[in-house]
Amino acid sequence: MTDGPKYGFDTLQIHAGARPDPATGSRQTPIYQSTAYVFRDAEHAAALFNLQEVGYIYSRLTNPTVAVLQERIATLEGGVGGVCCSSGHAAQIMALFPLMAPGLNVVVSTRLYGGTVTQFSQTIKRFGWEATFVDFDDLDAVKAAIDDNTRAIFCESIANPGGYITDLDAIAAIADSAEIPLIVDNTTATPYLCRPIEHGATLVVHSTTKYLTGNGTVTGGCVVDSGTFDWSANDKFPSLSGPEPAYHGMKFHETFGPLAFTFHGIAIGLRDLGMTMNPQAAHYTLMGTETLSLRMDRHVENATRIAKWLEADDRVEYVTYAGLESSPYFDRVAKICPRGAGGLFTFAVKGGYDACVKLVNALEIFSHVANLGDARSLIIHSASTTHRQLTVEQQRAAGAAPEVVRVSIGIEDAEDLIADLDQALSKAAN
Ligand SMILES: *Cc1c(COP(=O)(O)O)cnc(C)c1O
Protein backbone atom coordinates (compact mmCIF):
# COMPACT_ATOMS: atom_id res chain seq x y z
CA MET A 1 0.00 0.00 0.00
CA THR A 2 1.05 3.62 -0.32
CA ASP A 3 1.22 5.36 3.02
CA GLY A 4 -0.63 8.57 3.43
CA PRO A 5 -3.09 10.65 5.30
CA LYS A 6 -6.04 8.87 3.70
CA TYR A 7 -5.45 5.92 6.00
CA GLY A 8 -6.44 5.94 9.65
CA PHE A 9 -4.07 5.38 12.57
CA ASP A 10 -5.05 1.72 13.08
CA THR A 11 -4.26 0.93 9.44
CA LEU A 12 -0.97 2.85 9.44
CA GLN A 13 0.31 1.28 12.66
CA ILE A 14 0.21 -2.11 10.86
CA HIS A 15 1.14 -1.15 7.30
CA ALA A 16 3.19 2.08 7.22
CA GLY A 17 6.70 1.50 5.90
CA ALA A 18 6.14 -2.21 5.18
CA ARG A 19 5.59 -3.94 1.88
CA PRO A 20 5.83 -7.60 0.94
CA ASP A 21 9.49 -8.62 0.71
CA PRO A 22 10.50 -8.13 -2.95
CA ALA A 23 12.68 -11.27 -2.97
CA THR A 24 10.37 -13.80 -1.32
CA GLY A 25 6.92 -12.23 -1.00
CA SER A 26 7.22 -12.61 2.77
CA ARG A 27 4.20 -10.77 4.18
CA GLN A 28 5.77 -9.99 7.53
CA THR A 29 8.86 -7.77 7.47
CA PRO A 30 11.91 -10.07 7.52
CA ILE A 31 14.69 -9.57 10.04
CA TYR A 32 17.52 -8.63 7.70
CA GLN A 33 20.31 -10.04 9.82
CA SER A 34 23.08 -8.75 7.58
CA THR A 35 25.92 -6.37 8.27
CA ALA A 36 26.66 -5.46 4.66
CA TYR A 37 24.94 -5.27 1.25
CA VAL A 38 26.47 -6.22 -2.10
CA PHE A 39 26.96 -3.31 -4.50
CA ARG A 40 25.73 -3.83 -8.09
CA ASP A 41 29.05 -2.52 -9.36
CA ALA A 42 31.72 0.04 -8.53
CA GLU A 43 29.62 2.98 -9.84
CA HIS A 44 26.72 1.95 -7.63
CA ALA A 45 29.03 1.83 -4.61
CA ALA A 46 30.42 5.29 -5.41
CA ALA A 47 26.94 6.78 -5.81
CA LEU A 48 25.87 5.36 -2.44
CA PHE A 49 28.95 6.69 -0.68
CA ASN A 50 28.40 10.13 -2.25
CA LEU A 51 24.76 10.15 -1.06
CA GLN A 52 23.73 10.52 -4.70
CA GLU A 53 21.69 7.35 -4.50
CA VAL A 54 19.80 5.99 -1.50
CA GLY A 55 20.50 2.37 -0.62
CA TYR A 56 22.10 0.01 1.81
CA ILE A 57 25.83 -0.04 2.51
CA TYR A 58 26.45 -1.20 6.05
CA SER A 59 24.07 -1.76 8.96
CA ARG A 60 25.63 0.84 11.25
CA LEU A 61 23.99 3.35 8.89
CA THR A 62 20.95 1.63 7.41
CA ASN A 63 19.25 -1.75 7.56
CA PRO A 64 16.05 -2.77 5.74
CA THR A 65 14.24 -3.96 8.91
CA VAL A 66 15.18 -0.83 10.82
CA ALA A 67 14.16 1.28 7.80
CA VAL A 68 10.60 -0.07 7.97
CA LEU A 69 10.36 0.93 11.63
CA GLN A 70 11.79 4.39 10.87
CA GLU A 71 9.17 4.98 8.21
CA ARG A 72 6.39 3.59 10.41
CA ILE A 73 7.14 5.80 13.42
CA ALA A 74 7.67 8.86 11.19
CA THR A 75 4.30 8.22 9.52
CA LEU A 76 2.47 7.75 12.82
CA GLU A 77 3.97 11.02 14.07
CA GLY A 78 3.16 12.88 10.85
CA GLY A 79 6.86 13.55 10.13
CA VAL A 80 8.88 13.24 6.93
CA GLY A 81 11.61 10.92 8.22
CA GLY A 82 12.92 9.06 11.21
CA VAL A 83 16.22 7.75 12.50
CA CYS A 84 16.15 4.80 14.87
CA CYS A 85 18.80 4.51 17.57
CA SER A 86 19.97 2.01 20.16
CA SER A 87 17.97 3.60 23.01
CA GLY A 88 15.85 6.58 23.92
CA HIS A 89 18.85 8.31 25.44
CA ALA A 90 20.78 7.75 22.22
CA ALA A 91 17.90 9.37 20.33
CA GLN A 92 18.14 12.45 22.55
CA ILE A 93 21.85 12.87 21.82
CA MET A 94 21.20 12.21 18.11
CA ALA A 95 18.49 14.91 18.10
CA LEU A 96 20.78 17.51 19.69
CA PHE A 97 23.99 16.55 17.87
CA PRO A 98 23.40 18.43 14.56
CA LEU A 99 22.19 21.51 16.44
CA MET A 100 24.79 21.90 19.16
CA ALA A 101 28.47 22.79 19.52
CA PRO A 102 30.66 23.68 22.49
CA GLY A 103 29.33 26.81 24.23
CA LEU A 104 25.76 26.34 22.99
CA ASN A 105 22.77 25.49 25.16
CA VAL A 106 19.31 23.92 25.15
CA VAL A 107 16.40 25.18 27.27
CA VAL A 108 14.70 22.21 28.93
CA SER A 109 11.71 21.54 31.16
CA THR A 110 12.26 20.62 34.80
CA ARG A 111 9.63 17.90 34.35
CA LEU A 112 11.60 15.15 32.65
CA TYR A 113 12.43 11.48 32.92
CA GLY A 114 15.07 11.14 35.69
CA GLY A 115 17.71 9.75 33.34
CA THR A 116 17.22 12.71 31.01
CA VAL A 117 17.74 15.16 33.88
CA THR A 118 21.08 13.46 34.58
CA GLN A 119 22.03 13.29 30.88
CA PHE A 120 21.28 17.00 30.40
CA SER A 121 22.56 18.36 33.71
CA GLN A 122 25.78 16.31 33.84
CA THR A 123 26.84 14.28 30.83
CA ILE A 124 26.30 16.73 27.96
CA LYS A 125 28.69 19.14 29.68
CA ARG A 126 31.47 16.83 28.51
CA PHE A 127 30.59 17.91 24.96
CA GLY A 128 30.66 21.55 26.04
CA TRP A 129 26.85 21.74 25.81
CA GLU A 130 24.70 23.29 28.53
CA ALA A 131 21.08 22.75 29.53
CA THR A 132 19.05 25.46 31.26
CA PHE A 133 16.23 23.96 33.33
CA VAL A 134 12.99 25.97 33.52
CA ASP A 135 9.42 25.45 34.76
CA PHE A 136 7.57 25.21 31.44
CA ASP A 137 4.34 26.51 32.99
CA ASP A 138 6.16 29.83 33.43
CA LEU A 139 6.23 31.00 29.82
CA ASP A 140 8.05 34.22 30.66
CA ALA A 141 10.79 32.20 32.33
CA VAL A 142 11.09 29.99 29.22
CA LYS A 143 11.46 33.11 27.04
CA ALA A 144 13.94 34.65 29.46
CA ALA A 145 16.08 31.49 29.47
CA ILE A 146 16.66 31.69 25.71
CA ASP A 147 19.83 33.53 24.71
CA ASP A 148 21.95 33.91 21.55
CA ASN A 149 23.56 30.54 22.22
CA THR A 150 20.30 28.58 22.59
CA ARG A 151 19.79 26.08 19.79
CA ALA A 152 16.72 24.11 20.93
CA ILE A 153 13.90 23.78 23.45
CA PHE A 154 13.25 20.30 24.90
CA CYS A 155 10.27 18.95 26.83
CA GLU A 156 8.07 15.86 27.22
CA SER A 157 4.45 15.83 26.01
CA ILE A 158 3.03 13.85 28.94
CA ALA A 159 5.92 14.24 31.35
CA ASN A 160 7.36 11.35 33.27
CA PRO A 161 6.55 10.42 36.05
CA GLY A 162 3.06 11.28 34.88
CA GLY A 163 0.35 13.74 35.78
CA TYR A 164 1.83 16.70 33.90
CA ILE A 165 1.01 17.73 30.35
CA THR A 166 3.07 20.39 28.57
CA ASP A 167 1.24 23.16 26.74
CA LEU A 168 3.05 22.31 23.52
CA ASP A 169 1.38 25.05 21.44
CA ALA A 170 2.54 27.77 23.84
CA ILE A 171 6.10 26.41 23.95
CA ALA A 172 6.19 25.97 20.16
CA ALA A 173 5.19 29.62 19.71
CA ILE A 174 8.16 30.66 21.86
CA ALA A 175 10.51 28.40 19.88
CA ASP A 176 9.12 29.86 16.66
CA SER A 177 9.77 33.46 17.59
CA ALA A 178 13.29 32.55 18.76
CA GLU A 179 13.85 30.69 15.44
CA ILE A 180 14.95 27.53 17.19
CA PRO A 181 13.49 24.01 16.99
CA LEU A 182 11.22 22.51 19.63
CA ILE A 183 12.13 18.89 20.47
CA VAL A 184 9.39 16.88 22.17
CA ASP A 185 9.96 13.54 23.88
CA ASN A 186 6.68 11.77 23.09
CA THR A 187 7.58 8.45 24.76
CA THR A 188 4.89 8.37 27.42
CA ALA A 189 2.08 9.60 25.17
CA THR A 190 2.95 7.79 21.90
CA PRO A 191 1.67 9.21 18.60
CA TYR A 192 -1.70 7.59 19.31
CA LEU A 193 -2.39 9.91 22.25
CA CYS A 194 -0.40 12.96 21.18
CA ARG A 195 1.01 14.24 17.89
CA PRO A 196 3.52 16.93 18.87
CA ILE A 197 4.19 17.99 15.26
CA GLU A 198 0.56 19.14 14.98
CA HIS A 199 1.27 21.37 17.99
CA GLY A 200 4.36 22.91 16.41
CA ALA A 201 7.20 20.54 17.36
CA THR A 202 10.14 20.38 14.95
CA LEU A 203 11.54 17.06 16.17
CA VAL A 204 9.96 14.22 18.15
CA VAL A 205 12.08 11.76 20.10
CA HIS A 206 11.05 8.39 21.46
CA SER A 207 12.26 5.70 23.74
CA THR A 208 10.80 2.84 21.69
CA THR A 209 11.72 0.68 24.69
CA LYS A 210 8.39 1.71 26.22
CA TYR A 211 4.88 1.71 24.72
CA LEU A 212 5.89 1.44 21.06
CA THR A 213 7.36 -2.01 21.76
CA GLY A 214 4.95 -2.48 24.62
CA ASN A 215 6.20 -5.55 26.42
CA GLY A 216 9.56 -4.73 27.95
CA THR A 217 11.71 -6.77 25.55
CA VAL A 218 14.15 -4.46 23.74
CA THR A 219 15.68 -1.00 24.09
CA GLY A 220 15.51 1.47 21.25
CA GLY A 221 14.89 5.04 20.29
CA CYS A 222 13.83 7.16 17.36
CA VAL A 223 14.15 10.78 16.21
CA VAL A 224 11.36 11.94 13.90
CA ASP A 225 11.73 15.12 11.85
CA SER A 226 8.68 17.20 10.93
CA GLY A 227 10.56 18.49 7.87
CA THR A 228 9.21 21.98 8.51
CA PHE A 229 12.15 23.83 10.03
CA ASP A 230 14.16 26.26 7.89
CA TRP A 231 17.72 25.36 8.87
CA SER A 232 19.10 27.96 6.45
CA ALA A 233 17.10 30.96 7.73
CA ASN A 234 20.21 32.15 9.59
CA ASP A 235 23.67 30.85 10.43
CA LYS A 236 22.66 29.12 13.68
CA PHE A 237 22.73 25.58 12.27
CA PRO A 238 25.89 25.25 10.16
CA SER A 239 25.89 21.41 10.35
CA LEU A 240 22.67 21.44 8.32
CA SER A 241 22.96 24.64 6.29
CA GLY A 242 26.72 24.85 5.70
CA PRO A 243 29.16 22.76 3.68
CA GLU A 244 30.00 19.31 5.07
CA PRO A 245 33.72 18.56 4.69
CA ALA A 246 33.22 14.78 4.95
CA TYR A 247 30.96 14.87 1.85
CA HIS A 248 33.03 17.21 -0.41
CA GLY A 249 31.34 20.37 0.88
CA MET A 250 27.80 19.17 0.22
CA LYS A 251 25.12 21.15 2.12
CA PHE A 252 22.50 18.91 3.73
CA HIS A 253 19.64 21.40 3.74
CA GLU A 254 20.25 22.60 0.20
CA THR A 255 20.61 19.01 -1.08
CA PHE A 256 17.92 17.15 0.87
CA GLY A 257 15.40 19.91 1.69
CA PRO A 258 12.88 18.72 4.29
CA LEU A 259 14.85 15.46 4.72
CA ALA A 260 18.07 17.30 5.70
CA PHE A 261 17.88 16.39 9.38
CA THR A 262 17.07 12.73 8.65
CA PHE A 263 19.91 12.33 6.15
CA HIS A 264 22.32 14.08 8.50
CA GLY A 265 21.21 11.73 11.30
CA ILE A 266 22.13 8.71 9.22
CA ALA A 267 25.09 9.94 7.16
CA ILE A 268 26.84 11.74 10.03
CA GLY A 269 25.09 10.78 13.27
CA LEU A 270 24.88 7.00 12.91
CA ARG A 271 28.02 6.83 10.80
CA ASP A 272 30.20 8.52 13.41
CA LEU A 273 28.41 8.11 16.75
CA GLY A 274 27.29 4.55 15.97
CA MET A 275 24.23 4.47 18.25
CA THR A 276 22.50 2.09 15.86
CA MET A 277 19.35 0.06 16.44
CA ASN A 278 19.83 -3.62 15.60
CA PRO A 279 17.37 -5.44 13.28
CA GLN A 280 16.16 -7.80 16.05
CA ALA A 281 15.12 -4.85 18.17
CA ALA A 282 13.41 -3.25 15.18
CA HIS A 283 11.50 -6.50 14.62
CA TYR A 284 10.15 -6.58 18.19
CA THR A 285 9.19 -2.92 18.01
CA LEU A 286 7.45 -3.40 14.66
CA MET A 287 5.38 -6.17 16.31
CA GLY A 288 4.54 -3.78 19.11
CA THR A 289 3.42 -0.92 16.89
CA GLU A 290 0.80 -3.17 15.24
CA THR A 291 -1.32 -3.13 18.42
CA LEU A 292 -0.36 0.31 19.73
CA SER A 293 -3.80 1.93 19.61
CA LEU A 294 -5.54 -1.07 21.19
CA ARG A 295 -3.07 -1.16 24.03
CA MET A 296 -3.07 2.60 24.61
CA ASP A 297 -6.86 2.68 24.84
CA ARG A 298 -6.70 -0.03 27.48
CA HIS A 299 -3.81 1.63 29.35
CA VAL A 300 -5.86 4.85 29.52
CA GLU A 301 -9.07 3.06 30.56
CA ASN A 302 -7.32 1.12 33.34
CA ALA A 303 -5.28 4.13 34.52
CA THR A 304 -8.38 6.31 34.74
CA ARG A 305 -10.29 3.70 36.76
CA ILE A 306 -7.43 3.00 39.12
CA ALA A 307 -6.56 6.69 39.60
CA LYS A 308 -10.19 7.38 40.57
CA TRP A 309 -10.23 4.45 42.98
CA LEU A 310 -6.98 5.58 44.63
CA GLU A 311 -8.14 9.18 44.88
CA ALA A 312 -11.20 8.06 46.86
CA ASP A 313 -9.11 5.91 49.23
CA ASP A 314 -8.24 7.15 52.76
CA ARG A 315 -4.81 5.56 52.73
CA VAL A 316 -3.77 7.75 49.81
CA GLU A 317 -2.83 11.42 50.22
CA TYR A 318 -3.24 12.50 46.60
CA VAL A 319 -3.10 11.21 43.03
CA THR A 320 -1.51 13.13 40.15
CA TYR A 321 -3.13 11.88 36.97
CA ALA A 322 -4.00 14.50 34.37
CA GLY A 323 -7.09 12.46 33.48
CA LEU A 324 -8.65 13.26 36.89
CA GLU A 325 -10.87 16.33 37.12
CA SER A 326 -8.93 17.32 40.25
CA SER A 327 -5.74 17.69 38.17
CA PRO A 328 -4.62 21.23 37.30
CA TYR A 329 -3.74 19.81 33.88
CA PHE A 330 -7.14 18.21 33.20
CA ASP A 331 -8.05 20.90 30.62
CA ARG A 332 -4.83 20.27 28.67
CA VAL A 333 -5.84 16.64 28.03
CA ALA A 334 -8.55 17.70 25.57
CA LYS A 335 -6.15 20.04 23.80
CA ILE A 336 -2.88 18.07 23.76
CA CYS A 337 -3.81 14.38 24.07
CA PRO A 338 -7.55 14.07 23.40
CA ARG A 339 -7.54 10.26 23.49
CA GLY A 340 -6.42 10.25 27.11
CA ALA A 341 -3.73 11.18 29.59
CA GLY A 342 -1.72 7.95 29.24
CA GLY A 343 -1.02 5.11 31.63
CA LEU A 344 1.45 6.70 34.01
CA PHE A 345 0.81 8.54 37.23
CA THR A 346 2.06 9.00 40.75
CA PHE A 347 0.30 8.86 44.07
CA ALA A 348 1.36 9.84 47.58
CA VAL A 349 0.96 7.23 50.28
CA LYS A 350 0.07 8.32 53.82
CA GLY A 351 3.07 7.36 55.93
CA GLY A 352 5.65 8.79 53.49
CA TYR A 353 8.89 7.16 52.36
CA ASP A 354 8.59 4.09 54.63
CA ALA A 355 5.00 3.36 53.62
CA CYS A 356 6.00 3.59 49.93
CA VAL A 357 8.74 1.03 50.45
CA LYS A 358 6.29 -1.32 52.24
CA LEU A 359 3.69 -0.88 49.51
CA VAL A 360 6.17 -1.74 46.77
CA ASN A 361 7.28 -4.85 48.67
CA ALA A 362 3.70 -6.06 49.28
CA LEU A 363 2.36 -5.87 45.71
CA GLU A 364 1.89 -9.16 43.87
CA ILE A 365 0.82 -8.31 40.31
CA PHE A 366 2.69 -5.02 40.02
CA SER A 367 6.40 -5.54 39.40
CA HIS A 368 8.97 -3.32 41.06
CA VAL A 369 11.07 -2.31 38.08
CA ALA A 370 12.70 0.75 36.55
CA ASN A 371 10.69 0.69 33.35
CA LEU A 372 7.36 1.90 32.00
CA GLY A 373 5.07 1.29 29.08
CA ASP A 374 4.92 -2.49 29.51
CA ALA A 375 1.77 -4.59 29.02
CA ARG A 376 2.22 -5.55 32.69
CA SER A 377 1.68 -3.15 35.55
CA LEU A 378 4.83 -1.70 37.05
CA ILE A 379 5.60 0.37 40.12
CA ILE A 380 8.64 2.25 41.27
CA HIS A 381 9.51 4.36 44.23
CA SER A 382 11.35 7.00 42.19
CA ALA A 383 13.00 8.77 45.15
CA SER A 384 14.92 5.65 46.16
CA THR A 385 15.67 4.49 42.60
CA THR A 386 15.44 6.37 39.26
CA HIS A 387 15.50 9.85 40.83
CA ARG A 388 18.02 8.91 43.52
CA GLN A 389 20.81 10.98 41.89
CA LEU A 390 18.70 14.13 42.19
CA THR A 391 18.40 16.50 45.14
CA VAL A 392 15.07 16.48 47.03
CA GLU A 393 14.23 19.84 45.35
CA GLN A 394 14.93 18.31 41.91
CA GLN A 395 12.86 15.25 42.92
CA ARG A 396 9.90 17.44 43.88
CA ALA A 397 10.25 19.53 40.72
CA ALA A 398 10.23 16.31 38.67
CA GLY A 399 7.13 15.03 40.51
CA ALA A 400 9.09 12.30 42.29
CA ALA A 401 8.88 13.40 45.94
CA PRO A 402 9.93 10.89 48.66
CA GLU A 403 6.29 10.09 49.65
CA VAL A 404 5.28 9.33 46.08
CA VAL A 405 5.26 6.11 44.03
CA ARG A 406 4.94 5.97 40.25
CA VAL A 407 2.81 3.39 38.54
CA SER A 408 2.76 2.36 34.89
CA ILE A 409 -0.67 0.81 34.59
CA GLY A 410 -0.74 -2.27 32.38
CA ILE A 411 -3.48 -3.89 30.35
CA GLU A 412 -4.47 -6.60 32.84
CA ASP A 413 -7.97 -6.76 34.39
CA ALA A 414 -8.52 -3.49 36.27
CA GLU A 415 -10.32 -5.38 39.10
CA ASP A 416 -7.23 -7.49 39.74
CA LEU A 417 -4.97 -4.45 39.81
CA ILE A 418 -7.27 -2.65 42.25
CA ALA A 419 -7.44 -5.72 44.52
CA ASP A 420 -3.63 -5.91 44.50
CA LEU A 421 -3.26 -2.23 45.41
CA ASP A 422 -5.92 -2.65 48.10
CA GLN A 423 -4.12 -5.48 49.93
CA ALA A 424 -0.73 -3.79 49.59
CA LEU A 425 -1.99 -0.42 50.88
CA SER A 426 -3.31 -2.21 53.98
CA LYS A 427 0.13 -3.68 54.60
CA ALA A 428 1.80 -0.29 53.95
CA ALA A 429 -0.37 1.33 56.63
CA ASN A 430 1.01 -0.96 59.37
C1 LIG B 1 12.79 5.56 29.16
C2 LIG B 1 12.72 6.97 28.76
C3 LIG B 1 13.80 7.61 28.15
C4 LIG B 1 15.11 6.90 27.90
O1 LIG B 1 14.94 5.84 27.03
P1 LIG B 1 15.88 4.53 27.03
O2 LIG B 1 15.32 3.70 25.93
O3 LIG B 1 15.78 3.90 28.37
O4 LIG B 1 17.27 5.03 26.76
C5 LIG B 1 13.66 8.92 27.76
N1 LIG B 1 12.52 9.59 27.98
C6 LIG B 1 11.45 9.01 28.58
C7 LIG B 1 10.21 9.80 28.79
C8 LIG B 1 11.51 7.69 28.97
O5 LIG B 1 10.46 7.11 29.56
Side-chain angles (χ1 to χ4, degrees), residues 125-164:
K125 285 185 185 162
R126 311 271 182 103
F127 308 145
W129 308 349
E130 280 290 333
T132 311
F133 287 81
V134 189
D135 175 356
F136 271 36
D137 275 346
D138 185 345
L139 298 179
D140 289 333
V142 177
K143 281 180 212 157
I146 297 170
D147 62 25
D148 289 345
N149 292 328
T150 305
R151 289 297 178 274
I153 299 182
F154 186 101
C155 62
E156 295 176 4
S157 48
I158 299 177
N160 192 308
Y164 177 80

